[in-house]
Amino acid sequence: MCFYSTRMHFVCLSCRAAWKGTATSRGPGRCPQCRAELIDAGADLAVPKRRDDAGWRALEAVIRSGLTFHGGCCGTGPGYRPRTPREVRDRLALAERTGMPVEKALAVVDPTMTDRYGPRGKESGHPGSRTGARHHR
């Protein structure tokens, strides 16, 4: 039996605050502190602490790119999301280098694995990959 929460995180990036609620009740609504529109970030969001500047900068970059934390059924979550500004920078550099859309680049687990042979390059056994180099000696 699948269980997936119907309570979503609604985030105000300017206040660095999040609330849980159902998306069907009245939509995301407005922030009670600044009256800005709340963003439906999904049920699988791990909200950073309010004083975690780096975590909120990374979360803002992810949400502004269009990625959310909506999972699926049977334990399938939203996939990888960067948690630090450095992880965001690495993935933005990947997007610039390869022409990959920013939304897809931010969801890449390891940006070094996508340069030459695609998203599974180092696991694919190609001669330039780590696993391939060991097998072709």
Side-chain angles (χ1 to χ4, degrees), residues 88-118:
V88 171
R89 278 193 307 272
D90 290 346
R91 281 142 187 87
L92 291 177
L94 169 70
E96 187 175 317
R97 199 171 52 241
T98 63
M100 182 184 293
V102 172
E103 183 177 344
K104 288 187 185 267
L106 284 173
V108 169
V109 176
D110 183 0
T112 62
M113 292 179 65
T114 60
D115 285 342
R116 190 166 175 189
Y117 296 109

PDB file of all heavy atoms in Angstrom, residues 88-118:
ATOM      1  N   VAL A  88      25.127  24.111  -6.169  1.00  0.00           N
ATOM      2  CA  VAL A  88      24.382  24.859  -7.185  1.00  0.00           C
ATOM      3  C   VAL A  88      25.345  25.391  -8.242  1.00  0.00           C
ATOM      4  O   VAL A  88      25.115  25.253  -9.446  1.00  0.00           O
ATOM      5  CB  VAL A  88      23.570  26.011  -6.553  1.00  0.00           C
ATOM      6  CG1 VAL A  88      22.985  26.916  -7.613  1.00  0.00           C
ATOM      7  CG2 VAL A  88      22.466  25.453  -5.670  1.00  0.00           C
ATOM      8  N   ARG A  89      26.456  26.007  -7.798  1.00  0.00           N
ATOM      9  CA  ARG A  89      27.450  26.555  -8.753  1.00  0.00           C
ATOM     10  C   ARG A  89      27.999  25.472  -9.665  1.00  0.00           C
ATOM     11  O   ARG A  89      28.163  25.676 -10.871  1.00  0.00           O
ATOM     12  CB  ARG A  89      28.597  27.220  -7.991  1.00  0.00           C
ATOM     13  CG  ARG A  89      28.313  28.610  -7.536  1.00  0.00           C
ATOM     14  CD  ARG A  89      29.580  29.330  -7.073  1.00  0.00           C
ATOM     15  NE  ARG A  89      30.335  28.590  -6.081  1.00  0.00           N
ATOM     16  CZ  ARG A  89      30.147  28.648  -4.763  1.00  0.00           C
ATOM     17  NH1 ARG A  89      29.210  29.417  -4.271  1.00  0.00           N
ATOM     18  NH2 ARG A  89      30.897  27.945  -3.943  1.00  0.00           N
ATOM     19  N   ASP A  90      28.320  24.296  -9.112  1.00  0.00           N
ATOM     20  CA  ASP A  90      28.854  23.197  -9.921  1.00  0.00           C
ATOM     21  C   ASP A  90      27.861  22.792 -11.008  1.00  0.00           C
ATOM     22  O   ASP A  90      28.240  22.532 -12.147  1.00  0.00           O
ATOM     23  CB  ASP A  90      29.166  21.977  -9.052  1.00  0.00           C
ATOM     24  CG  ASP A  90      30.352  22.194  -8.128  1.00  0.00           C
ATOM     25  OD1 ASP A  90      31.099  23.179  -8.336  1.00  0.00           O
ATOM     26  OD2 ASP A  90      30.513  21.384  -7.189  1.00  0.00           O
ATOM     27  N   ARG A  91      26.597  22.747 -10.664  1.00  0.00           N
ATOM     28  CA  ARG A  91      25.580  22.324 -11.634  1.00  0.00           C
ATOM     29  C   ARG A  91      25.256  23.419 -12.640  1.00  0.00           C
ATOM     30  O   ARG A  91      24.961  23.134 -13.794  1.00  0.00           O
ATOM     31  CB  ARG A  91      24.337  21.837 -10.895  1.00  0.00           C
ATOM     32  CG  ARG A  91      24.583  20.430 -10.386  1.00  0.00           C
ATOM     33  CD  ARG A  91      23.995  20.157  -9.039  1.00  0.00           C
ATOM     34  NE  ARG A  91      24.435  18.840  -8.558  1.00  0.00           N
ATOM     35  CZ  ARG A  91      25.555  18.637  -7.885  1.00  0.00           C
ATOM     36  NH1 ARG A  91      26.358  19.626  -7.595  1.00  0.00           N
ATOM     37  NH2 ARG A  91      25.889  17.426  -7.503  1.00  0.00           N
ATOM     38  N   LEU A  92      25.353  24.697 -12.227  1.00  0.00           N
ATOM     39  CA  LEU A  92      25.179  25.792 -13.186  1.00  0.00           C
ATOM     40  C   LEU A  92      26.344  25.820 -14.175  1.00  0.00           C
ATOM     41  O   LEU A  92      26.159  26.098 -15.365  1.00  0.00           O
ATOM     42  CB  LEU A  92      25.054  27.129 -12.455  1.00  0.00           C
ATOM     43  CG  LEU A  92      23.779  27.321 -11.641  1.00  0.00           C
ATOM     44  CD1 LEU A  92      23.819  28.654 -10.897  1.00  0.00           C
ATOM     45  CD2 LEU A  92      22.543  27.215 -12.515  1.00  0.00           C
ATOM     46  N   ALA A  93      27.552  25.510 -13.701  1.00  0.00           N
ATOM     47  CA  ALA A  93      28.703  25.412 -14.600  1.00  0.00           C
ATOM     48  C   ALA A  93      28.515  24.268 -15.587  1.00  0.00           C
ATOM     49  O   ALA A  93      28.845  24.387 -16.773  1.00  0.00           O
ATOM     50  CB  ALA A  93      29.992  25.217 -13.793  1.00  0.00           C
ATOM     51  N   LEU A  94      27.954  23.159 -15.117  1.00  0.00           N
ATOM     52  CA  LEU A  94      27.653  22.032 -16.000  1.00  0.00           C
ATOM     53  C   LEU A  94      26.661  22.458 -17.083  1.00  0.00           C
ATOM     54  O   LEU A  94      26.839  22.140 -18.258  1.00  0.00           O
ATOM     55  CB  LEU A  94      27.075  20.872 -15.197  1.00  0.00           C
ATOM     56  CG  LEU A  94      26.463  19.726 -16.001  1.00  0.00           C
ATOM     57  CD1 LEU A  94      27.552  18.949 -16.721  1.00  0.00           C
ATOM     58  CD2 LEU A  94      25.664  18.809 -15.097  1.00  0.00           C
ATOM     59  N   ALA A  95      25.630  23.189 -16.698  1.00  0.00           N
ATOM     60  CA  ALA A  95      24.629  23.647 -17.666  1.00  0.00           C
ATOM     61  C   ALA A  95      25.263  24.549 -18.714  1.00  0.00           C
ATOM     62  O   ALA A  95      24.993  24.423 -19.914  1.00  0.00           O
ATOM     63  CB  ALA A  95      23.503  24.384 -16.952  1.00  0.00           C
ATOM     64  N   GLU A  96      26.138  25.435 -18.274  1.00  0.00           N
ATOM     65  CA  GLU A  96      26.804  26.340 -19.214  1.00  0.00           C
ATOM     66  C   GLU A  96      27.755  25.583 -20.137  1.00  0.00           C
ATOM     67  O   GLU A  96      27.825  25.833 -21.330  1.00  0.00           O
ATOM     68  CB  GLU A  96      27.568  27.399 -18.429  1.00  0.00           C
ATOM     69  CG  GLU A  96      28.148  28.484 -19.309  1.00  0.00           C
ATOM     70  CD  GLU A  96      28.792  29.570 -18.480  1.00  0.00           C
ATOM     71  OE1 GLU A  96      28.205  29.974 -17.455  1.00  0.00           O
ATOM     72  OE2 GLU A  96      29.892  30.015 -18.873  1.00  0.00           O
ATOM     73  N   ARG A  97      28.486  24.631 -19.579  1.00  0.00           N
ATOM     74  CA  ARG A  97      29.473  23.872 -20.337  1.00  0.00           C
ATOM     75  C   ARG A  97      28.841  22.958 -21.376  1.00  0.00           C
ATOM     76  O   ARG A  97      29.345  22.816 -22.481  1.00  0.00           O
ATOM     77  CB  ARG A  97      30.288  23.046 -19.328  1.00  0.00           C
ATOM     78  CG  ARG A  97      31.594  22.551 -19.786  1.00  0.00           C
ATOM     79  CD  ARG A  97      32.427  21.944 -18.649  1.00  0.00           C
ATOM     80  NE  ARG A  97      31.731  20.938 -17.883  1.00  0.00           N
ATOM     81  CZ  ARG A  97      31.477  21.021 -16.575  1.00  0.00           C
ATOM     82  NH1 ARG A  97      31.850  22.071 -15.896  1.00  0.00           N
ATOM     83  NH2 ARG A  97      30.845  20.050 -15.961  1.00  0.00           N
ATOM     84  N   THR A  98      27.726  22.339 -21.020  1.00  0.00           N
ATOM     85  CA  THR A  98      27.141  21.320 -21.892  1.00  0.00           C
ATOM     86  C   THR A  98      25.919  21.783 -22.659  1.00  0.00           C
ATOM     87  O   THR A  98      25.459  21.080 -23.555  1.00  0.00           O
ATOM     88  CB  THR A  98      26.739  20.082 -21.067  1.00  0.00           C
ATOM     89  OG1 THR A  98      25.729  20.462 -20.135  1.00  0.00           O
ATOM     90  CG2 THR A  98      27.925  19.477 -20.370  1.00  0.00           C
ATOM     91  N   GLY A  99      25.345  22.929 -22.265  1.00  0.00           N
ATOM     92  CA  GLY A  99      24.117  23.372 -22.903  1.00  0.00           C
ATOM     93  C   GLY A  99      22.879  22.694 -22.337  1.00  0.00           C
ATOM     94  O   GLY A  99      21.782  22.851 -22.865  1.00  0.00           O
ATOM     95  N   MET A 100      23.041  21.952 -21.257  1.00  0.00           N
ATOM     96  CA  MET A 100      21.925  21.278 -20.597  1.00  0.00           C
ATOM     97  C   MET A 100      21.029  22.344 -19.957  1.00  0.00           C
ATOM     98  O   MET A 100      21.530  23.328 -19.422  1.00  0.00           O
ATOM     99  CB  MET A 100      22.481  20.344 -19.512  1.00  0.00           C
ATOM    100  CG  MET A 100      21.450  19.542 -18.765  1.00  0.00           C
ATOM    101  SD  MET A 100      22.191  18.556 -17.419  1.00  0.00           S
ATOM    102  CE  MET A 100      23.168  17.386 -18.336  1.00  0.00           C
ATOM    103  N   PRO A 101      19.713  22.173 -19.995  1.00  0.00           N
ATOM    104  CA  PRO A 101      18.841  23.130 -19.305  1.00  0.00           C
ATOM    105  C   PRO A 101      19.160  23.183 -17.806  1.00  0.00           C
ATOM    106  O   PRO A 101      19.496  22.171 -17.200  1.00  0.00           O
ATOM    107  CB  PRO A 101      17.434  22.567 -19.530  1.00  0.00           C
ATOM    108  CG  PRO A 101      17.558  21.659 -20.706  1.00  0.00           C
ATOM    109  CD  PRO A 101      18.959  21.140 -20.703  1.00  0.00           C
ATOM    110  N   VAL A 102      19.061  24.372 -17.226  1.00  0.00           N
ATOM    111  CA  VAL A 102      19.414  24.566 -15.827  1.00  0.00           C
ATOM    112  C   VAL A 102      18.597  23.654 -14.927  1.00  0.00           C
ATOM    113  O   VAL A 102      19.130  23.060 -13.980  1.00  0.00           O
ATOM    114  CB  VAL A 102      19.228  26.047 -15.429  1.00  0.00           C
ATOM    115  CG1 VAL A 102      19.404  26.243 -13.934  1.00  0.00           C
ATOM    116  CG2 VAL A 102      20.202  26.916 -16.192  1.00  0.00           C
ATOM    117  N   GLU A 103      17.327  23.492 -15.204  1.00  0.00           N
ATOM    118  CA  GLU A 103      16.472  22.640 -14.375  1.00  0.00           C
ATOM    119  C   GLU A 103      16.991  21.210 -14.341  1.00  0.00           C
ATOM    120  O   GLU A 103      17.042  20.577 -13.295  1.00  0.00           O
ATOM    121  CB  GLU A 103      15.046  22.668 -14.913  1.00  0.00           C
ATOM    122  CG  GLU A 103      14.074  21.883 -14.088  1.00  0.00           C
ATOM    123  CD  GLU A 103      12.655  21.988 -14.614  1.00  0.00           C
ATOM    124  OE1 GLU A 103      12.362  22.881 -15.414  1.00  0.00           O
ATOM    125  OE2 GLU A 103      11.843  21.140 -14.209  1.00  0.00           O
ATOM    126  N   LYS A 104      17.440  20.695 -15.481  1.00  0.00           N
ATOM    127  CA  LYS A 104      17.977  19.328 -15.521  1.00  0.00           C
ATOM    128  C   LYS A 104      19.345  19.261 -14.859  1.00  0.00           C
ATOM    129  O   LYS A 104      19.669  18.304 -14.172  1.00  0.00           O
ATOM    130  CB  LYS A 104      18.064  18.841 -16.963  1.00  0.00           C
ATOM    131  CG  LYS A 104      16.718  18.539 -17.572  1.00  0.00           C
ATOM    132  CD  LYS A 104      16.907  17.894 -18.923  1.00  0.00           C
ATOM    133  CE  LYS A 104      15.605  17.699 -19.596  1.00  0.00           C
ATOM    134  NZ  LYS A 104      14.999  16.427 -19.384  1.00  0.00           N
ATOM    135  N   ALA A 105      20.174  20.287 -15.071  1.00  0.00           N
ATOM    136  CA  ALA A 105      21.518  20.290 -14.494  1.00  0.00           C
ATOM    137  C   ALA A 105      21.468  20.332 -12.970  1.00  0.00           C
ATOM    138  O   ALA A 105      22.275  19.685 -12.304  1.00  0.00           O
ATOM    139  CB  ALA A 105      22.318  21.472 -15.025  1.00  0.00           C
ATOM    140  N   LEU A 106      20.515  21.066 -12.406  1.00  0.00           N
ATOM    141  CA  LEU A 106      20.410  21.125 -10.948  1.00  0.00           C
ATOM    142  C   LEU A 106      19.990  19.797 -10.339  1.00  0.00           C
ATOM    143  O   LEU A 106      20.219  19.544  -9.170  1.00  0.00           O
ATOM    144  CB  LEU A 106      19.426  22.222 -10.532  1.00  0.00           C
ATOM    145  CG  LEU A 106      19.955  23.642 -10.643  1.00  0.00           C
ATOM    146  CD1 LEU A 106      18.846  24.639 -10.368  1.00  0.00           C
ATOM    147  CD2 LEU A 106      21.131  23.874  -9.722  1.00  0.00           C
ATOM    148  N   ALA A 107      19.386  18.925 -11.118  1.00  0.00           N
ATOM    149  CA  ALA A 107      18.940  17.625 -10.615  1.00  0.00           C
ATOM    150  C   ALA A 107      19.969  16.514 -10.832  1.00  0.00           C
ATOM    151  O   ALA A 107      19.732  15.371 -10.452  1.00  0.00           O
ATOM    152  CB  ALA A 107      17.624  17.234 -11.284  1.00  0.00           C
ATOM    153  N   VAL A 108      21.129  16.839 -11.399  1.00  0.00           N
ATOM    154  CA  VAL A 108      22.180  15.847 -11.644  1.00  0.00           C
ATOM    155  C   VAL A 108      22.909  15.561 -10.335  1.00  0.00           C
ATOM    156  O   VAL A 108      23.336  16.473  -9.642  1.00  0.00           O
ATOM    157  CB  VAL A 108      23.168  16.368 -12.720  1.00  0.00           C
ATOM    158  CG1 VAL A 108      24.396  15.489 -12.807  1.00  0.00           C
ATOM    159  CG2 VAL A 108      22.480  16.467 -14.059  1.00  0.00           C
ATOM    160  N   VAL A 109      23.049  14.290 -10.002  1.00  0.00           N
ATOM    161  CA  VAL A 109      23.701  13.908  -8.743  1.00  0.00           C
ATOM    162  C   VAL A 109      25.168  14.293  -8.742  1.00  0.00           C
ATOM    163  O   VAL A 109      25.661  14.907  -7.814  1.00  0.00           O
ATOM    164  CB  VAL A 109      23.557  12.384  -8.501  1.00  0.00           C
ATOM    165  CG1 VAL A 109      24.307  11.971  -7.260  1.00  0.00           C
ATOM    166  CG2 VAL A 109      22.102  12.009  -8.391  1.00  0.00           C
ATOM    167  N   ASP A 110      25.899  13.949  -9.780  1.00  0.00           N
ATOM    168  CA  ASP A 110      27.328  14.236  -9.855  1.00  0.00           C
ATOM    169  C   ASP A 110      27.621  14.942 -11.174  1.00  0.00           C
ATOM    170  O   ASP A 110      27.615  14.295 -12.227  1.00  0.00           O
ATOM    171  CB  ASP A 110      28.130  12.938  -9.756  1.00  0.00           C
ATOM    172  CG  ASP A 110      29.633  13.163  -9.751  1.00  0.00           C
ATOM    173  OD1 ASP A 110      30.079  14.335  -9.824  1.00  0.00           O
ATOM    174  OD2 ASP A 110      30.371  12.179  -9.670  1.00  0.00           O
ATOM    175  N   PRO A 111      27.894  16.242 -11.151  1.00  0.00           N
ATOM    176  CA  PRO A 111      28.087  16.969 -12.408  1.00  0.00           C
ATOM    177  C   PRO A 111      29.326  16.552 -13.181  1.00  0.00           C
ATOM    178  O   PRO A 111      29.430  16.824 -14.363  1.00  0.00           O
ATOM    179  CB  PRO A 111      28.175  18.430 -11.966  1.00  0.00           C
ATOM    180  CG  PRO A 111      28.586  18.385 -10.550  1.00  0.00           C
ATOM    181  CD  PRO A 111      28.026  17.110  -9.998  1.00  0.00           C
ATOM    182  N   THR A 112      30.263  15.854 -12.562  1.00  0.00           N
ATOM    183  CA  THR A 112      31.452  15.415 -13.291  1.00  0.00           C
ATOM    184  C   THR A 112      31.171  14.197 -14.147  1.00  0.00           C
ATOM    185  O   THR A 112      31.946  13.863 -15.027  1.00  0.00           O
ATOM    186  CB  THR A 112      32.602  15.084 -12.325  1.00  0.00           C
ATOM    187  OG1 THR A 112      32.191  14.015 -11.479  1.00  0.00           O
ATOM    188  CG2 THR A 112      32.970  16.292 -11.493  1.00  0.00           C
ATOM    189  N   MET A 113      30.053  13.504 -13.910  1.00  0.00           N
ATOM    190  CA  MET A 113      29.752  12.277 -14.646  1.00  0.00           C
ATOM    191  C   MET A 113      29.037  12.529 -15.968  1.00  0.00           C
ATOM    192  O   MET A 113      28.783  11.608 -16.706  1.00  0.00           O
ATOM    193  CB  MET A 113      28.877  11.356 -13.799  1.00  0.00           C
ATOM    194  CG  MET A 113      29.609  10.806 -12.607  1.00  0.00           C
ATOM    195  SD  MET A 113      28.577   9.763 -11.606  1.00  0.00           S
ATOM    196  CE  MET A 113      28.242   8.429 -12.700  1.00  0.00           C
ATOM    197  N   THR A 114      28.700  13.746 -16.287  1.00  0.00           N
ATOM    198  CA  THR A 114      27.887  13.990 -17.472  1.00  0.00           C
ATOM    199  C   THR A 114      28.654  14.634 -18.611  1.00  0.00           C
ATOM    200  O   THR A 114      28.095  14.854 -19.661  1.00  0.00           O
ATOM    201  CB  THR A 114      26.708  14.900 -17.118  1.00  0.00           C
ATOM    202  OG1 THR A 114      27.235  16.122 -16.617  1.00  0.00           O
ATOM    203  CG2 THR A 114      25.810  14.249 -16.116  1.00  0.00           C
ATOM    204  N   ASP A 115      29.901  14.953 -18.407  1.00  0.00           N
ATOM    205  CA  ASP A 115      30.620  15.695 -19.433  1.00  0.00           C
ATOM    206  C   ASP A 115      30.803  14.944 -20.742  1.00  0.00           C
ATOM    207  O   ASP A 115      30.413  15.397 -21.787  1.00  0.00           O
ATOM    208  CB  ASP A 115      32.000  16.123 -18.918  1.00  0.00           C
ATOM    209  CG  ASP A 115      31.913  17.274 -17.953  1.00  0.00           C
ATOM    210  OD1 ASP A 115      30.870  17.942 -17.948  1.00  0.00           O
ATOM    211  OD2 ASP A 115      32.871  17.478 -17.213  1.00  0.00           O
ATOM    212  N   ARG A 116      31.388  13.765 -20.713  1.00  0.00           N
ATOM    213  CA  ARG A 116      31.817  13.127 -21.945  1.00  0.00           C
ATOM    214  C   ARG A 116      30.865  12.057 -22.464  1.00  0.00           C
ATOM    215  O   ARG A 116      30.630  11.964 -23.652  1.00  0.00           O
ATOM    216  CB  ARG A 116      33.194  12.521 -21.717  1.00  0.00           C
ATOM    217  CG  ARG A 116      33.830  12.041 -22.977  1.00  0.00           C
ATOM    218  CD  ARG A 116      35.273  11.781 -22.742  1.00  0.00           C
ATOM    219  NE  ARG A 116      35.861  11.216 -23.939  1.00  0.00           N
ATOM    220  CZ  ARG A 116      37.054  10.725 -23.991  1.00  0.00           C
ATOM    221  NH1 ARG A 116      37.804  10.734 -22.925  1.00  0.00           N
ATOM    222  NH2 ARG A 116      37.527  10.226 -25.096  1.00  0.00           N
ATOM    223  N   TYR A 117      30.325  11.263 -21.579  1.00  0.00           N
ATOM    224  CA  TYR A 117      29.549  10.113 -22.022  1.00  0.00           C
ATOM    225  C   TYR A 117      28.103  10.130 -21.543  1.00  0.00           C
ATOM    226  O   TYR A 117      27.457   9.101 -21.518  1.00  0.00           O
ATOM    227  CB  TYR A 117      30.213   8.825 -21.537  1.00  0.00           C
ATOM    228  CG  TYR A 117      31.566   8.624 -22.124  1.00  0.00           C
ATOM    229  CD1 TYR A 117      32.698   8.753 -21.352  1.00  0.00           C
ATOM    230  CD2 TYR A 117      31.715   8.331 -23.473  1.00  0.00           C
ATOM    231  CE1 TYR A 117      33.947   8.574 -21.893  1.00  0.00           C
ATOM    232  CE2 TYR A 117      32.962   8.147 -24.025  1.00  0.00           C
ATOM    233  CZ  TYR A 117      34.071   8.273 -23.226  1.00  0.00           C
ATOM    234  OH  TYR A 117      35.311   8.095 -23.763  1.00  0.00           O
ATOM    235  N   GLY A 118      27.596  11.269 -21.123  1.00  0.00           N
ATOM    236  CA  GLY A 118      26.219  11.336 -20.679  1.00  0.00           C
ATOM    237  C   GLY A 118      26.105  11.129 -19.179  1.00  0.00           C
ATOM    238  O   GLY A 118      27.108  11.021 -18.482  1.00  0.00           O
TER     239      GLY A 118
END
